[in-house]
């Protein structure tokens, strides 16, 4: 009976560890490769392949060795491998990405994710995949009850997997971080092996030492830095995001799920940010007979740390802002590091589309949709049904503004789909490419005179108004969207596939510029070393 309980416990905790490692993998990869559905697909696919290989090898090994000693040594090996990942994982990922960027830039994100998973995680997951067939082979001693015992072993593995799905997401990753989540489940596997060796009265000195070492590491203040090449004042994780806050003399910056790039910025001098938010400030100028003294009702879907809300309050004194942000930890950071106050925005912690579906949601003069980041796009906020919902919450003549962070040198249909989807709902739609960035601003209204309104309103700016230069740039770069054939719907919105293609183009463009800068064709790696001198 004691043996059976240990086998069931082994199946349970190994199943739990597999799912915990899978979820932790995604968080370890997120700062470099993002969290899109495509990245998740690669991760899940490779994990399932590793487990399948483990199943085959486990069955063969169980037939050949007919010993549980071998199994628990395999589990112990997987536990040690998982414990090492927090210390080498980020460096391995950066090294793989760097080499691929130099020598194989096509499909960098997918290829980088796949190779990183294979190098870092395939071995321990193959080992854990060997557990179930081993336990079935060596745990079934009563042939009359073989089916019942086998069912219990697989049931315990499945139950463990279910708990291992929820525990990292809602408990360990938000409260102790990704690195220590790896260590925690490594410790669990170590303790399972230790229990077996103690029951069998086999000298478990090595397992005792590894268990104590991992236990101590969990409580040590280990560095969780993924952006280890620069100074950050905070690196943290929430249920939704990897979070990075950095600061210099001029501003405070937030990055989410990326090692490079900025999602929010707070200028300490309250001047224009120099980013796309400045151009988004032009949205109220498309309203009929608008002036900075008018009352302005603003809704922001994807508030981040409140850059747009703060800037709107600076340049439009009578603005009343409702802001929606799904990540409560980002809301917390917005108050602690970015100076967002209740006077600047009433923040709602929910999904943007869910907020709009609330019967108590009021109407607004301007609705800003800023929920897209590269290919990490919530598809349900790109569809005709979504923009129909958005338009229903606009006041007459109100303006929708989108920040589309997906512009490359080539032509990609995702921008056409997004702009034409909006056009299928709104009377007038215009886009404005922001020079030197991957951002495209989209302005839309049912007022056919929105551009004429803009000209009249911005014509009142004096030369001292910081928005004058911004308004001139926007007016010169407005391009009307006339087609409405390419439309995303709730039923069909392949934003991930289209976004992946676009992001590949952006990466190739950036890498080509970098290689030209260091003269990579002639100097090779020496060009990089020369640059670093």
């Amino acid at each position: 009976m004691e043996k059976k309980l240990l086998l069931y416990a082994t199946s349970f905790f190994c199943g739990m560890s597999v799912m915990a490692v899978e979820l932790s993998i995604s968080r370890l990869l997120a700062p470099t490769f993002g969290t899109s559905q495509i990245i998740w697909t690669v991760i899940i696919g490779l994990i399932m392949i590793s487990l399948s290989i483990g199943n085959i090898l486990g069955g063969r090994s169980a037939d050949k060795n007919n010993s549980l000693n071998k199994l628990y040594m395999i589990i112990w090996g997987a536990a040690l491998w998982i414990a090492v990942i927090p210390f080498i994982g980020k460096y391995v990922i950066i090294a793989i990405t760097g080499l691929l960027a130099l020598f194989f830039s096509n499909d960098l994100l997918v290829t980088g994710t796949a190779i990183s998973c294979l190098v870092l995680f395939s071995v321990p997951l193959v080992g854990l995949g060997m557990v179930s067939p081993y336990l079935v082979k060596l745990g079934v001693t009563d042939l009359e009850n073989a089916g019942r015992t086998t069912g219990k072993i697989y049931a315990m593995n499945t139950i463990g997997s279910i708990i291992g799905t929820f525990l990292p997401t809602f408990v360990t990753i938000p409260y102790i971080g990704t690195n220590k989540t790896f260590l925690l489940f490594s410790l669990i596997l170590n303790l399972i092996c230790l229990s077996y060796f103690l029951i069998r009265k086999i000298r478990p000195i090595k397992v005792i030492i590894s268990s104590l070492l991992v236990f101590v590491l969990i409580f040590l203040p280990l560095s969780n830095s993924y952006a280890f090449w620069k100074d950050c004042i905070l690196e943290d994780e929430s249920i939704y995001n990897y979070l990075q806050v950095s600061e210099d003399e001029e501003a405070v910056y937030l990055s989410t799920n990326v090692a490079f790039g900025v999602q929010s910025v707070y200028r300490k001098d309250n001047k224009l940010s120099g980013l796309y938010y400045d151009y988004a400030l032009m949205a109220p100028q498309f309203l009929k007979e608008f002036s900075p003294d008018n009352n302005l009702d603003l809704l922001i879907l994807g508030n981040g740390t409140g850059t747009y809300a703060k800037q709107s309050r600076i340049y439009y004194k009578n603005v009343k802002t409702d802001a929606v942000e799904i990540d409560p930890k980002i809301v917390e950071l917005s108050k602690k590091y970015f100076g967002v106050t209740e006077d600047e925005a009433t923040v709602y912690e929910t999904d943007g589309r869910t907020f709009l579906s609330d019967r108590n949601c009021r109407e607004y003069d301007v609705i800003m949709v800023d929920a897209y980041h590269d290919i990490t796009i919530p598809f349900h906020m790109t569809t005709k049904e979504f923009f129909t919902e958005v338009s229903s919450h606009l006041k007459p003549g109100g303006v929708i503004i989108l920040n589309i962070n997906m512009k490359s040198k080539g032509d990609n249909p995702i921008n056409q789909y997004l702009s034409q989807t909006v056009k299928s709902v709104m009377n007038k739609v215009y886009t404005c490419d922001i020079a030197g960035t991957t951002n495209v601003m989209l302005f839309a209204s049912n007022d056919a005179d929105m551009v004429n309104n803009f000209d009249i309103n911005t014509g009142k700016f004096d030369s001292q108004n910081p928005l004058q230069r911004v308004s001139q740039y926007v007016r010169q770069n407005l391009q009307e969207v006339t087609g409405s054939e390419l439309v995303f719907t709730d039923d069909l919105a392949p934003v991930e596939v289209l976004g992946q293609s676009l992001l590949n183009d952006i990466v190739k463009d950036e890498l080509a510029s970098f290689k030209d800068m260091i003269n990579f064709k002639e100097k090779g790696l020496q060009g990089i070393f020369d640059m670093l001198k």
Side-chain angles (χ1 to χ4, degrees), residues 7-206:
L7 296 184
Y8 295 149
T10 300
S11 183
F12 175 84
F13 286 111
C14 285
M16 180 189 294
S17 298
V18 166
M19 293 308 302
V21 168
E22 178 178 339
L23 290 163
S24 300
I25 289 170
S26 69
R27 299 307 289 265
L28 186 64
L29 297 174
T32 306
F33 302 114
T35 58
S36 72
Q37 187 176 355
I38 289 176
I39 301 302
W40 263 109
T41 300
V42 173
I43 293 172
I44 293 172
L46 290 175
I47 287 174
M48 297 305 294
I49 291 171
S50 298
L51 293 175
S52 298
I53 293 173
N55 290 160
I56 295 171
L57 296 179
R60 291 179 178 178
S61 182
D63 289 338
K64 180 179 179 181
N65 294 285
N66 199 33
S67 169
L68 285 173
N69 291 359
K70 179 76 170 181
L71 171 64
Y72 283 93
M73 289 302 296
I74 291 171
I75 296 174
W76 183 57
L80 294 181
W81 190 294
I82 292 169
V84 172
I85 289 172
F87 301 97
I88 67 169
K90 57 192 175 186
Y91 303 106
V92 170
I93 292 169
I94 293 299
I96 290 172
T97 305
L99 290 174
L100 288 174
L102 292 175
F103 300 107
F104 185 73
S105 58
N106 290 328
D107 294 320
L108 178 61
L109 295 184
V110 173
T111 307
T113 300
I115 295 177
S116 297
C117 283
L118 290 173
V119 171
L120 289 172
F121 307 110
S122 61
V123 172
L125 290 173
V126 166
L128 293 177
M130 297 174 70
V131 172
S132 292
Y134 238 110
L135 293 179
V136 170
K137 166 69 176 180
L138 301 179
V140 177
T141 55
D142 181 3
L143 294 180
E144 291 186 2
N145 296 308
R148 181 180 301 176
T149 302
T150 300
K152 287 181 179 179
I153 289 173
Y154 280 104
M156 294 305 294
N157 188 272
T158 302
I159 294 171
S161 297
I162 294 170
I163 296 175
T165 301
F166 289 96
L167 194 60
T169 300
F170 294 103
V171 181
T172 63
I173 290 176
Y175 291 102
I176 66 174
T178 298
N179 287 338
K180 291 190 176 182
T181 295
F182 281 119
L183 293 174
L184 175 62
F185 285 92
S186 171
L187 177 62
I188 289 173
L189 294 175
N190 268 279
L191 293 177
I192 281 291
C193 296
L194 181 59
S195 300
Y196 169 77
F197 290 125
L198 289 174
I199 290 173
R200 294 295 299 270
K201 298 180 181 179
I202 300 173
R203 292 183 179 180
I205 301 301
K206 294 181 180 179

Side-chain angles (χ1 to χ4, degrees), residues 227 257 345 388 462:
N257 295 324
T388 299
D462 59 45

Side-chain angles (χ1 to χ4, degrees), residues 9 32 40 73 77 107 242 265 267 283 314 366 380 403 417 419 439 447 453 481 508:
T32 306
W40 263 109
M73 289 302 296
D107 294 320
Y242 156 74
V265 60
R267 290 274 309 199
I314 293 171
V366 174
H380 65 292
N403 170 40
Y417 267 97
S419 59
N439 299 90
D447 187 346
N453 297 338
V481 177
K508 289 174 66 175

